[in-house]
Amino acid sequence: MPLLRFFVALILAASSGWCFAHKPSDSYLRIDGTAAAFAAEWDIAVRDLELLVGLDDDQDGKITWGELKQKQEAVAAHALSHLTVRSGRTPLPIEATDLRVTRHSDGAYAVLSLSGEPTSAAEPLELDYDLLFALDPTHRGLVLLRGDAGVSTTILSPEQPTVRLDPREITAFHTLAEYVREGVWHIWIGFDHILFLVTLLLPAVLVWREGSWSGAESFAAASRRVFRIVTMFTVAHSITLWLSVMEYVALPSQWVEASIALSIIVTALANLYPKLPVSGWKVAFLFGLIHGFGFANVLIDLGLTSGSLALALFGFNVGVELGQLAIVLAFLPVAYPLRGTWCYQTIVLRGGSVVVALVAAIWFYERTLNAEILGI
């Protein structure tokens, strides 16, 4: 049955993404497009540098500032061997002039200060980037270019390792479009967010009556349930996304990530034992508040300026909603025709919820104890 295979594949695909459920390995390259000469700061996760260069000399499992500082030349040499900058078509010699440490939502990062020769104002910059692509296909290089009119962001990946940057092309619309794309990208690589939303939606095409599930009476009724769930999730995570990015509320990243995993466990168990005092859209709103803090980490880690924050926040939120809408549009037309079948109610809803609960339990264990399962 093609539709059933679709659902099984969807759940397994999301489950197989458990190795990506933590915040993916990213580096952050912030370029000052207003300077006469090339000037940038490059944040690289210390855990990634340990993998690339080897920092933990005493093998005690902890990387100190002294160990990082001692490897400054090796760190700079390795990093710069994976970044090529051209002004127009002319290669631009780059050097690392300083090293310090900062913290992002997922841990400590080394910050390399980069400088180069004067650039031509008439020529755009071109970047070739491949820092971790050979070892981690989920790695991304997030490039933030500051110009006189605002900022633009670009995501570099194994599929797109090269980018052309021109500060003169930065406009408010361009910035907005970039963050919309960033929001869509984030929801689609955030397997925990996808799994939570799909787990919420699975019983939306059903009705719990007299101790058993039965199919929703009409497509309109099922659509209204899906609409309420998605709307409440959106309202809730928008509230905490705004509170967190504006720095009104700050929660430890580890606590947020563990709570997101716990929210998935509870939602999956509610599908198996639908006797919670709250369900459906109320669960979506309650746990959506937690997921909003997870979304906020992306914007905070980009290091946005106050001038671009409002536009970025709006664009990112729109992107997240578009990403969710795509999930709903894929889910509802498939789930509704299957809702009354034994396969949907037993294999997809119950079996899928068991798989989701187990995967989320592993995430919860990993995030709570900062541990890894199966070496992942």
Side-chain angles (χ1 to χ4, degrees):
M1 183 180 294
L3 294 179
L4 178 60
R5 286 200 295 270
F6 169 83
F7 269 110
V8 173
L10 178 63
I11 292 172
L12 291 177
S15 303
S16 68
W18 67 352
C19 58
F20 310 131
H22 286 294
K23 186 175 178 299
S25 169
D26 299 325
S27 83
Y28 302 86
L29 183 62
R30 297 181 296 277
I31 301 174
D32 184 358
T34 64
F38 180 82
E41 289 187 331
W42 191 2
D43 297 5
I44 305 173
V46 170
R47 65 178 185 278
D48 290 339
L49 290 174
E50 163 66 5
L51 179 66
L52 295 170
V53 180
L55 302 175
D56 190 11
D57 283 342
D58 57 11
Q59 298 295 307
D60 65 348
K62 299 177 182 177
I63 299 170
T64 65
W65 165 244
E67 289 173 322
L68 177 61
K69 187 69 175 175
Q70 191 174 23
K71 296 289 183 68
Q72 179 173 348
E73 289 188 10
V75 167
H78 186 91
L80 291 176
S81 69
H82 292 273
L83 175 68
T84 301
V85 180
R86 290 183 294 274
S87 179
R89 296 184 177 180
T90 305
L92 200 63
I94 302 296
E95 63 176 349
T97 57
D98 192 20
L99 175 69
R100 56 187 175 85
V101 173
T102 189
R103 290 200 69 81
H104 285 239
S105 62
D106 57 342
Y109 277 64
V111 183
L112 288 170
S113 297
L114 306 181
S115 64
E117 295 178 355
T119 57
S120 170
E123 296 283 357
L125 291 175
E126 290 186 3
L127 268 62
D128 292 332
Y129 173 98
D130 64 347
L131 180 64
L132 266 164
F133 294 159
L135 299 175
D136 181 1
T138 70
H139 175 75
R140 296 293 183 268
L142 279 73
V143 181
L144 187 146
L145 174 67
R146 291 194 178 93
D148 292 327
V151 300
S152 71
T153 59
T154 304
I155 301 168
L156 298 175
S157 65
E159 295 77 26
Q160 184 186 344
T162 301
V163 64
R164 176 182 176 275
L165 302 170
D166 191 341
R168 298 168 300 177
E169 295 179 355
I170 296 176
T171 63
F173 178 78
H174 180 266
T175 301
L176 177 65
E178 291 287 347
Y179 281 100
V180 170
R181 189 175 65 172
E182 180 81 13
V184 173
W185 177 78
H186 181 74
I187 197 74
W188 277 105
I189 58 97
F191 284 94
D192 44 6
H193 302 303
I194 292 177
L195 214 53
F196 174 72
L197 186 58
V198 170
T199 307
L200 270 176
L201 293 178
L202 285 177
V205 294
L206 302 172
V207 178
W208 179 254
R209 289 194 187 98
E210 299 177 354
S212 64
W213 291 109
S214 58
E217 57 275 18
S218 67
F219 186 78
S223 299
R224 284 194 293 272
R225 292 192 190 95
V226 169
F227 177 76
R228 281 197 294 269
I229 288 172
V230 174
T231 301
M232 288 298 103
F233 184 58
T234 297
V235 170
H237 72 61
S238 297
I239 292 172
T240 46
L241 173 64
W242 177 75
L243 289 174
S244 183
V245 171
M246 299 303 290
E247 300 183 343
Y248 292 125
V249 180
L251 297 177
S253 173
Q254 185 178 14
W255 186 92
V256 171
E257 296 298 323
S259 298
I260 288 173
L262 186 61
S263 74
I264 301 170
I265 296 172
V266 173
T267 305
L269 292 179
N271 289 350
L272 297 171
Y273 306 100
K275 297 179 181 179
L276 288 178
V278 294
S279 60
W281 67 266
K282 296 175 183 175
V283 172
F285 182 84
L286 178 65
F287 290 137
L289 294 172
I290 298 171
H291 284 248
F293 286 108
F295 293 144
N297 289 336
V298 177
L299 289 181
I300 293 172
D301 287 344
L302 280 172
L304 295 168
T305 61
S306 58
S308 59
L309 193 55
L311 195 61
L313 186 58
F314 176 75
F316 184 82
N317 223 4
V318 169
V320 168
E321 306 324 315
L322 291 175
Q324 291 180 173
L325 180 62
I327 294 172
V328 171
L329 292 177
F331 168 83
L332 192 56
V334 178
Y336 183 74
L338 284 173
R339 70 195 188 289
T341 64
W342 176 87
C343 289
Y344 184 85
Q345 296 182 15
T346 302
I347 296 178
V348 176
L349 178 66
R350 292 187 175 85
S353 296
V354 169
V355 173
V356 168
L358 290 175
V359 172
I362 293 173
W363 287 342
F364 181 74
Y365 173 82
E366 290 180 329
R367 297 173 184 188
T368 303
L369 301 178
N370 198 25
E372 292 183 347
I373 304 294
L374 301 177
I376 296 173

